[in-house]
Amino acid sequence: MRRTFGLRLGLSALLLLSTWGGAAALAPAAGADSARQLSPGLAAALQRDLGLTADQARERLADERRAAETEKKAERAAGAAYGGSWFDSDSGRLTVAVAGAQRAGAVRATGADVRVVEHSAARLDAAVKRLDELSAPAGVASWRVDVRANSVRVDVVADRRDDAAVRTFLDRARAAGPVEVGTVPEAPGTFAAGTVGGDPYYTGNVRCSIGFSVHGGFVTAGHCGGAGAGVSGWDRSYIGNFQGSSFPDNDYAWVNVGSGWWTVPVVLGWGTVPDQLVRGSAEAPVGASICRSGSTTRWHCGTLLAKNETVNYSGGAVVHQLTKTSVCAEPGDSGGSFISGDQAQGVTSGGWGNCSGGGETWYQPVNEILGRYGLTLHTA
């Protein structure tokens, strides 16, 4: 029986908490001259957020570069006594914690300031790992090594500190190692996430999968939602709305992206393969290998079997000009990415069988969708 792969609630949802949207780190300048050539944008940001003048910003970047170079030498010099390190913006120097005084002289010889402490970084890291194994209640916000305090810092939500579950967690945390407790005003939450090929999204009581990012949104299957329908992401936060949708006859749609979400030229490999960058949409020939990413069965590959096939789905929906593959799929994979190498091919429409016993799946070619709605594929 042919079927489309949208998923109604009640079927299991395999959601990946994607790490896309992590903050990029600013690499230290290669030298003092590089630090002096401060870009206007960076200078403005440092002045705005850190209250620095342009000269102070240049000086700070140069100090941080030297501290980063010193840190590697100091850690080697401290050996097992290394207790962590931090940059002091007032002095412009690196301070290194050393467990015991035996290695202090060697560390000072690298140019770092030294603070003798009780606990090594290895001991504190081990304590954090023990906390990682605990089940934290909602009132516990986070935990980490606090190198300046030479302890593990557990932050709890201020108005939840007296909760029985929080107190129990803190008791168990203190048994794991040296712990200090702090508070935060509210529980942490995600702010945003990138739209990534293969990731789940929701329309009402239907779960489908993102196909490919385009400038301004993403493309997916038309049977997942009609024009105007609201869309939420893997974390159930609002993404946008279906701006266009066609089903049956065709099976394509596109969704605009906003509310703190952004587009990413990537298809999820789900840990089976590295995540795939999308560099174009050159059409693969029949017989070519092709892979699919979806939020239920994740990453599967096969062969492109035929093009321009008309499919008569159960329920009477007829869809034209689909491409047939030997790749399996299951409910919830609808709309997900078909990719050949680094070239986008199409979005999952439907098929038969499953990924336990095998089957065949059709996709709607991506170039047809781009042309229909005047969209531009987001490429790396």
Side-chain angles (χ1 to χ4, degrees), residues 171-196:
D171 288 342
R172 298 182 68 186
R174 291 185 181 101
V179 164
E180 290 187 351
V181 179
T183 60
V184 292
E186 61 184 78
T190 57
F191 291 113
T195 56
V196 181

Side-chain angles (χ1 to χ4, degrees), residues 42-300:
L42 180 56
L46 290 172
Q47 291 176 69
R48 179 195 65 213
D49 297 335
L50 298 182
L52 303 177
T53 66
D55 287 341
Q56 288 171 333
R58 281 191 289 269
E59 182 179 358
R60 176 157 179 165
L61 288 180
D63 289 341
E64 290 172 351
R65 172 189 57 79
R66 286 189 291 269
E69 294 170 351
T70 300
E71 184 177 38
K72 298 174 184 177
K73 301 174 186 176
E75 183 173 358
R76 287 194 297 268
Y82 181 71
S85 57
W86 60 94
F87 174 75
D88 185 281
S89 59
D90 292 333
S91 66
R93 293 176 58 80
L94 181 77
T95 299
V96 177
V98 181
Q102 185 176 358
R103 304 298 300 173
V107 173
R108 286 193 185 93
T110 67
D113 294 336
V114 171
R115 180 181 296 177
V116 177
V117 297
E118 181 180 357
H119 308 297
S120 69
R123 182 182 178 188
L124 296 175
D125 289 341
V128 168
K129 288 182 179 179
R130 287 191 287 272
L131 267 65
D132 290 343
E133 295 172 357
L134 302 179
S135 178
V140 175
S142 63
W143 54 89
R144 67 186 184 278
V145 171
D146 185 338
V147 292
R148 288 183 174 87
N150 193 231
S151 66
V152 174
R153 164 86 173 223
V154 179
D155 281 332
V156 299
V157 180
D159 62 2
R160 305 291 295 275
R161 183 165 182 167
D162 292 330
D163 289 1
V166 171
R167 292 200 305 268
T168 298
F169 180 90
L170 293 177
D171 288 342
R172 298 182 68 186
R174 291 185 181 101
V179 164
E180 290 187 351
V181 179
T183 60
V184 292
E186 61 184 78
T190 57
F191 291 113
T195 56
V196 181
D199 234 352
Y201 70 89
Y202 296 85
T203 305
N205 64 344
V206 175
R207 170 168 63 83
C208 283
S209 301
I210 291 170
F212 296 95
S213 289
V214 296
H215 291 287
F218 64 85
V219 295
T220 187
H223 70 263
C224 292
V231 172
S232 59
W234 59 267
D235 61 353
R236 299 290 189 161
S237 66
Y238 175 77
I239 294 178
N241 296 79
F242 279 80
Q243 298 299 300
S245 180
S246 179
F247 180 82
D249 187 26
N250 306 293
D251 195 3
Y252 52 60
W254 82 281
V255 175
N256 70 314
V257 166
S259 299
W261 290 71
W262 63 91
T263 61
V264 180
V266 167
V267 171
L268 285 177
W270 298 97
T272 302
V273 298
D275 294 344
Q276 305 294 293
L277 289 174
V278 179
R279 300 189 184 278
S281 57
E283 188 175 335
V286 171
S289 61
I290 194 164
C291 298
R292 180 192 54 73
S293 182
S295 61
T296 297
T297 57
R298 301 187 173 188
W299 184 265
H300 286 275

